[in-house]
Amino acid sequence: MTAVHGANPLRDAADRRLPRIAGPSGLVIFGVTGDLSRKKLMPAVYDLANRGLLPPGFSLIGFARRDWEDEDFAEVVHDAVKQHSRTPFREEVWQQLIQGMRFVQGNFDDDAAFEQLKSTIQELDKAQGTGGNFAFYLSVPPKFFPQVVQQLKKHELADAPEGSWRRAVIEKPFGHDLKSAKDLNAIVHEVFAPDQVFRIDHYLGKETVQNILALRFANQMFEPIWNRSYVDHVQITMAEDIGIGGRAGYYDGIGAARDVIQNHLLQLMALTAMEEPASFDANALVAEKAKVLGAVRLPKDLSKDTVRGQYSAGWQGGEKAVGYLQEEGIDPKSKTDTYAAIKLGVDNRRWAGVPFYLRTGKRLGRRVTEIAVVFQRAPHSPFDHTATEELGQNAIVIRVQPDEGITVRFGSKVPGTSMEIRDVSMDFAYGESFTESSPEAYERLILDVLLGDANLFPRTEEVELSWNILDPIEQHWDENGTPAQYPAGTWGPVEADEMLARDGRSWRRP
Ligand code: BG6
C-alpha cells in the first residue's frame, strides 16, 4: 500500500470508520425557546442519545427569560423531541436524558443568572460526571452575541478548568457585512481562542454536501474532467417553496443573498471548486476553501450579472400565496430580496473563464438544492443534425436535497434502426444504495462540537472572504433600483433568465 497524507494513513482511515462517541460533556443552549432550538437542536440531541453517541451523563442546560422550572423545560424538550426528532421515541433513552436537564432563568445582562449557570454546571459535573466540559450554543439574534460572549468571560465560564474544555457555538448570520463580521470576530476572539469557536453553517453538516469531497477526491474518474478544459459552467441552486413564515423580524433587511448565499451557497461553491486538501483536517480544508473564495472574481457589470427579486402574490401547491410585501411584519415598502442570482468567476488555472451561477429564492417552484456541473458540448458530432437535435450538454448533478443523490446526464442511442440520440440520466440515490438513513445536519454538527472536530465549521477567514464577495453586490443593489418581481410559485424573475440567456445558457428546471 502506498502511504498517502500523513504519518499513519492506515490508522487514520480505520479511526474515521469507527462510531465516534462524545466523551463526558454537556451543552448549554442560549435562546432555548426559539424555533431553531425546538425544531433542530433539541431533536438532534435526542437523536444522538438514541443512537448511543452521547455519554451516559450528558447534560443539557436551557437558558432563557421564561419563568420555568427544570420540569417545564423538560416538558418543552419532550414535545420538541416527539414532534421533530428523526429517530423513534424510546422512553428509556428519554429517562436517561432527562436526568441531566436543567433550566436557568435570566436575561443576558443578568449577572445573577450567569452565576446560577456557573453553579448549575458545577452541580452537573458532580451529579452527572460532565467533567467541566461544556459547549455554549448561541442560538440567539446576532445583536446579543457580544453580550452573551462577554458575560461568559466575566463569569469565568469561557475558561476551561484544568483538563477540560469550553467551546462556543455560534449560529449565523455572522455579521451583515464585512465590517460587522470583523467586529464580531474581534469580540468573540477576545474571549475564545480560534479553536474554541464553532460557527455553524448547517449545510456543511448535510451528508450530500460532505459527499462532494468523497465524489471528487475518493474517485479517479471525475477529477480529470473537473476543470475549464471540459466544464462549460456550474449552476448552484438553492430553491425553497416556503415563504418567510414567521421570520419577518429576522429576514426583512437581510434578504436572500445575506441569508444563504454568503454562507451556504459560497461554501458549496468552494467545495465544488477547491483543490484536493492535503488531509481531511480542519486546517487543510479551510486553506483550500479560502483559496477559492479569495480567487472569486465579481462580474464587471453588476447590473447585468446579478439579479435580485421579490415574490409577489401567486399560487403555491394549489394554494394562494401572498406577496412578500403583504406578509405579516414586513415593511410594505421593503426592498429586501427574496431571490438572488449572481454570476461569479474563479481566477485560477483550473477555472479561468468558467462561470459559476448561484441562485436562491423563497416561494420558488419547488424545494430543491443542487449543484450542476455542466460540460461543454462534444467538439464534433459524427451524427446527423436532425438525429441529435434534442441533445443537451452532459452534466453531473449533485442533488443535495431532497431526493439526495447524484445524476449523470449524457446522450444515448434510442433503440431502433436509426441513429437517434437522446439525453438520459444515470442515477445514484442514497435511499437505494444505503440502508442507513442520513443523520440530520445538526446531529452531525453537535456531535462534532462535543468531539472538538472542527472540519465542518467555517473559520473567521472564510466568513470574511465571503462577505468580501457579497458586500459590493449588496451595495450595488442598495444604490440601484428595486428588486424585480416574480409571482410566488414560479422560478424567479425573468431578469434572471435574461441574465443567462445573454451568455447563451439557461437555468436548469430541476
Ligand atoms: C437557513 C436560512 O440557513 O436555511 C433559511 O436562514 C432557510 O432561510 C434554511 O430556509 C434552509 O435550510 P434547509 O436545510 O431546509 O435547506
Side-chain angles (χ1 to χ4, degrees), residues 407-410 423-427:
T407 302
V408 179
R409 294 277 296 164
F410 56 96
D423 277 336
V424 293
S425 294
M426 204 158 69
D427 242 28

Side-chain angles (χ1 to χ4, degrees), residues 40 171-172 202-203 206 238 240 242-243 247 250-251 259-260 263-264 362 367 369 401 442:
K40 300 286 181 189
E171 262 297 333
K172 65 178 258 284
H202 79 281
Y203 264 61
K206 291 181 191 275
M238 176 187 169
E240 294 186 281
I242 51 169
R247 298 168 77 220
Y250 159 76
Y251 200 85
D259 184 36
V260 301
N263 36 74
H264 309 328
K362 301 266 187 210
R367 174 174 183 256
T369 300
Q401 66 186 27
Y442 279 96

Side-chain angles (χ1 to χ4, degrees), residues 234-281:
V234 178
Q235 290 189 21
I236 303 183
T237 300
M238 176 187 169
E240 294 186 281
D241 51 5
I242 51 169
I244 51 144
R247 298 168 77 220
Y250 159 76
Y251 200 85
D252 203 34
I254 296 263
R258 285 194 177 99
D259 184 36
V260 301
I261 291 189
Q262 187 273 341
N263 36 74
H264 309 328
L265 266 63
L266 285 176
Q267 284 288 329
L268 293 183
M269 177 174 167
L271 292 171
T272 306
M274 74 185 202
E275 298 302 315
E276 182 175 292
S279 71
F280 190 62
D281 101 351

Side-chain angles (χ1 to χ4, degrees), residues 57-119:
F58 180 80
S59 297
L60 180 68
I61 305 177
F63 187 111
R65 265 178 314 211
R66 304 276 165 96
D67 189 11
W68 284 346
E69 298 296 328
D70 290 347
E71 296 73 39
D72 303 314
F73 172 55
E75 204 178 304
V76 171
V77 182
H78 183 263
D79 292 351
V81 165
K82 281 230 150 160
Q83 238 182 313
H84 300 291
S85 64
R86 182 179 64 86
T87 60
F89 188 82
R90 287 196 294 143
E91 192 57 34
E92 62 274 25
V93 174
W94 174 251
Q95 285 306 329
Q96 174 142 19
L97 206 51
I98 206 174
Q99 303 296 320
M101 264 182 224
R102 303 286 186 275
F103 184 72
V104 175
Q105 194 230 336
N107 285 322
F108 299 141
D109 61 358
D110 182 351
D111 284 333
F114 278 83
E115 282 303 306
Q116 177 65 36
L117 176 60
K118 193 171 172 180
S119 52

